[in-house]
């Protein structure tokens, strides 16, 4: 397919006729370039560019122009690096410029054609190939990233399910543990109540021991699911801190609510938020520990509301009854992690003869930002696709710049070509009036402004000895082979005389009827 233009261009008159050996050599070079195009795309492009420069200094030719564009596309598609291709383009530009300067007939338009061909026929197809390559790579990377995101989302969902199970188990442990502790307190109160029969007193003692054992077993079975880094669940507590303290007091726990001197300091956040849930959780765990480890000890709960948060303090005195031996749990550790995770402060330790738990929870804003968080699926997808979007934008800008520059240069070159061709036309009527022997000053008024920049010297008859010949176009047709007029003068300056005039027919346009007798003695065409 690449050889087809090289074979048919000469026959259609779109190129100057070339010897058979040149056509065969060009086909051989194209065959070698096609054989190397997969493993050595740069060598294929270099061979085709050298073939084009050998055919014409301006690089553009109908015979090898399509092959040059195809191998430029393959160079961008198959070569991973861009620097060798840029070097090859620069080398082609330098060699073409040197050839135009040495053997060019009309350097300015030929250099414009070279530049336009290099940009529009080499650089732009190369950028198209690179864009094609990058699009395939980005598509492959996108599918891989999508599969990875799906795996990550599946794992995240699995982790969320496990964490939710752990949270439910943790809340169950805390709630049931608290209720069992209150049950043990009521059994203890029943055991020491006066007037109770001995067998009933023994039953109450057994009930108290069973409740303590159930609490310990619940801790061992479910308490192991606690996670120190567990985020605080947003589910509101079923009751407020005041209601929790009141219910514990009704169950027999000697606990009281301490009212501060400032009434505003005792305001507790409404249930439903992070702050209220944490405060409820802290008080519940502290009351459970006090009932379990210091039975009979008086407990004081105090809440202080600040400008930027709320502080809760649960203080119990020394135990007045014998505590049931239980294993130490991780409830305080879980509270510390939960409070510090929201920027608060948690302290727990001995206080006098008893124990104190103090927690400061800063006020939490419930408003959510409209912007997607970085760790969300939408935020992750945006972070993944942003580099691909920027890469596509850069490639599109490069392609647009190359296409625009190439279009401007090719348009300028074609405009210059059209200008020079149309201003080098000698009309057949003016040519017919010219007679050999006429001085140049009388011939000059009918001559066009410019001479033909691509004279068909290879098809013209041999000029007279010592003559200085000029070529002019017979019509203003572009991009086709037309007839040329040749005028030969005895001297190169304005003092010369016309000694011969000839018609050089265009390629594929023989005109046997056009024969003129020159006045210097011989028929010419």
């Amino acid at each position: 397919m690449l050889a087809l233009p090289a074979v048919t261009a000469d026959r259609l008159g779109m190129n100057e006729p070339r010897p058979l050996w040149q056509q065969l050599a060009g086909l051989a070079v194209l065959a070698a370039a096609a054989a190397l195009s997969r493993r050595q795309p740069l060598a294929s492009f270099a061979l085709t560019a050298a073939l084009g420069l050998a055919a014409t200094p301006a690089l553009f030719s109908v015979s090898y122009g399509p092959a040059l564009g195809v191998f430029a596309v393959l160079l961008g598609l198959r070569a991973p690096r861009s620097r060798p291709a840029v070097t090859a383009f620069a080398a082609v530009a330098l060699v073409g410029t040197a050839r135009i300067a040495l053997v060019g007939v009309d350097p300015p338009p030929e250099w414009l054609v070279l530049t336009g061909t290099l940009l529009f026929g080499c650089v732009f197809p190369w950028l198209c190939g690179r864009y094609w390559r990058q699009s395939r790579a980005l598509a492959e990377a996108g599918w891989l990233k999508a599969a990875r995101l799906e795996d990550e989302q599946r794992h995240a969902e699995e982790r969320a399910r496990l964490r939710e199970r752990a949270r439910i188990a943790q809340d169950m442990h805390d709630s049931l543990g608290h209720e069992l502790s209150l049950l043990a307190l009521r059994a203890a109160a029943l055991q020491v109540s006066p007037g109770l029969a001995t067998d009933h007193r023994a039953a109450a003692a057994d009930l108290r021991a069973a409740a303590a054992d159930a609490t310990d077993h619940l801790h061992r079975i479910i308490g192991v699911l606690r996670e120190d880094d567990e985020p605080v669940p947003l589910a509101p507590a079923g009751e407020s801190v005041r209601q929790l303290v009141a219910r514990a007091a009704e169950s027999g726990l000697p606990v009281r609510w301490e009212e501060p001197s400032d009434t505003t300091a005792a305001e507790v956040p409404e249930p439903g938020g992070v702050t209220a849930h944490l405060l409820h959780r802290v008080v519940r765990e502290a009351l459970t520990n006090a009932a379990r480890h210091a039975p009979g000890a008086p407990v004081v709960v105090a809440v202080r509301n600040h400008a930027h948060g709320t502080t809760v303090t649960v203080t119990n005195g020394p135990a007045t009854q014998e505590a049931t031996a239980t294993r130490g749990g991780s409830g305080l550790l879980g509270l510390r992690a939960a409070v510090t995770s929201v920027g608060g402060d948690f302290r727990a330790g001995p206080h006098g003869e008893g124990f104190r738990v103090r927690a400061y929870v800063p006020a939490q804003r419930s408003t959510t930002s409209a912007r997607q968080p970085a760790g969300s699926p939408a935020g992750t997808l945006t972070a993944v696709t942003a580099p691909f979007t920027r890469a596509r934008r850069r490639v599109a800008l490069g392609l647009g710049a190359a296409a625009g520059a190439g279009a401007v240069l090719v348009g300028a070159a074609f405009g210059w070509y059209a200008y020079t061709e149309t201003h080098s036309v000698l009309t057949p009527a003016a040519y017919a009036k010219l007679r050999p022997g006429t001085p140049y000053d009388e011939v000059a008024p009918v001559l066009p402004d410019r001479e033909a920049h691509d004279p068909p010297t290879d098809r013209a008859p041999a000029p007279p000895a010592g003559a200085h010949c000029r070529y002019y176009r017979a019509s203003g047709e572009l991009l086709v082979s037309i007839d040329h007029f040749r005028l030969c003068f005895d001297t190169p300056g304005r003092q010369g005389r016309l000694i011969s005039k000839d018609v050089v027919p265009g390629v594929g346009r023989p005109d046997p009827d056009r024969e003129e007798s020159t006045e210097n003695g011989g028929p010419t065409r």
Side-chain angles (χ1 to χ4, degrees), residues 25-58:
L27 294 178
V29 173
L30 287 180
L36 295 174
S37 62
R38 187 172 298 277
R39 296 182 178 273
Q40 299 290 334
L42 182 61
S44 299
F45 174 79
L47 286 175
T48 312
L51 187 60
L53 289 175
T56 171

Side-chain angles (χ1 to χ4, degrees), residues 343-428:
D345 179 68
F346 182 85
R347 298 179 183 179
H351 179 73
E353 297 182 357
F355 197 84
R356 168 176 287 184
V357 175
R358 179 184 181 277
Y360 168 75
V361 181
Q364 303 296 315
R365 295 181 179 179
S366 59
T367 58
T368 58
S369 175
R371 184 177 58 185
Q372 290 289 347
S376 65
T380 304
L381 184 60
T382 303
V384 169
T385 58
F388 297 159
T389 304
R390 289 194 294 268
R392 290 192 179 96
R393 187 180 297 114
R394 287 196 301 269
V395 173
L397 290 177
L399 290 175
V408 170
L409 289 175
V410 170
F414 185 80
W416 180 261
Y417 167 75
Y419 172 81
T420 56
E421 297 299 288
T422 55
H423 283 71
S424 63
V425 176
L426 177 62
T427 62

Side-chain angles (χ1 to χ4, degrees), residues 274-302:
V274 176
T275 302
H277 182 85
L278 270 178
L279 294 177
H280 185 279
R281 182 177 171 184
V282 169
V283 174
R284 184 181 62 189
E285 183 69 22
L287 294 180
T288 302
N289 290 339
R292 181 187 305 171
H293 302 290
V299 184
V300 178
V301 178

Side-chain angles (χ1 to χ4, degrees), residues 67-108:
L68 186 66
V70 169
F71 286 118
V73 172
L74 295 179
L75 177 61
L77 180 62
R78 296 173 176 173
R81 299 175 56 193
S82 60
R83 183 173 299 177
V86 175
T87 304
F89 297 149
V92 172
L94 292 176
V95 174
T97 301
R99 285 212 64 198
I100 291 174
L102 294 176
V103 301
V105 178
D106 197 358

Side-chain angles (χ1 to χ4, degrees), residues 7-293:
V7 174
T8 58
D10 293 351
R11 297 181 180 273
L12 297 177
M14 306 179 77
N15 279 339
E16 297 295 331
R18 295 172 299 163
L20 180 60
W21 70 269
Q22 290 186 2
Q23 298 185 25
L24 294 178
L27 294 178
V29 173
L30 287 180
L36 295 174
S37 62
R38 187 172 298 277
R39 296 182 178 273
Q40 299 290 334
L42 182 61
S44 299
F45 174 79
L47 286 175
T48 312
L51 187 60
L53 289 175
T56 171
L59 184 63
F60 177 78
S61 65
V62 179
S63 298
Y64 307 121
L68 186 66
V70 169
F71 286 118
V73 172
L74 295 179
L75 177 61
L77 180 62
R78 296 173 176 173
R81 299 175 56 193
S82 60
R83 183 173 299 177
V86 175
T87 304
F89 297 149
V92 172
L94 292 176
V95 174
T97 301
R99 285 212 64 198
I100 291 174
L102 294 176
V103 301
V105 178
D106 197 358
E110 291 183 352
W111 188 84
L112 284 176
V113 172
L114 170 66
T115 307
T117 304
L118 188 62
L119 286 178
F120 205 66
C122 297
V123 177
F124 182 71
W126 173 72
L127 288 176
C128 289
R130 285 189 62 82
Y131 178 76
W132 190 2
R133 175 189 178 90
Q134 291 181 0
S135 296
R136 295 195 308 184
L138 289 176
E140 183 179 356
W143 284 113
L144 292 176
K145 180 61 70 175
R148 190 177 301 114
L149 287 177
E150 289 180 356
D151 292 339
E152 292 179 357
Q153 186 174 5
R154 187 166 56 252
H155 294 325
E157 292 175 355
E158 184 65 25
R159 288 195 300 269
R161 283 195 295 268
L162 294 176
R163 292 168 71 90
E164 182 64 16
R165 292 175 183 175
R167 186 192 65 81
I168 294 174
Q170 177 177 333
D171 287 349
M172 184 185 302
H173 170 270
D174 294 343
S175 299
L176 293 180
H178 179 72
E179 298 298 333
L180 289 175
S181 298
L182 296 181
L183 179 61
L185 283 176
R186 292 189 177 186
L190 181 61
Q191 179 184 358
V192 297
S193 63
L196 191 65
T198 305
D199 53 345
H200 292 168
R201 195 181 304 276
D206 293 339
L207 178 61
R208 176 176 175 274
D213 291 340
T215 304
D216 189 49
H217 292 162
L218 180 66
H219 167 73
R220 287 200 300 265
I221 296 173
I222 302 180
V224 294
L225 296 177
R226 291 178 181 267
E227 296 184 9
D228 294 343
D229 58 345
E230 183 80 19
V232 179
L234 296 179
E239 58 185 355
S240 66
V241 176
R242 283 180 178 269
Q243 293 172 347
L244 174 64
V245 173
R247 188 162 60 88
E250 293 175 358
S251 300
L253 184 68
V255 57
R256 65 181 179 88
W257 179 272
E258 183 180 84
E259 294 288 349
S261 57
D262 187 1
T263 56
T264 60
E267 296 179 358
V268 181
E270 293 295 329
V274 176
T275 302
H277 182 85
L278 270 178
L279 294 177
H280 185 279
R281 182 177 171 184
V282 169
V283 174
R284 184 181 62 189
E285 183 69 22
L287 294 180
T288 302
N289 290 339
R292 181 187 305 171
H293 302 290

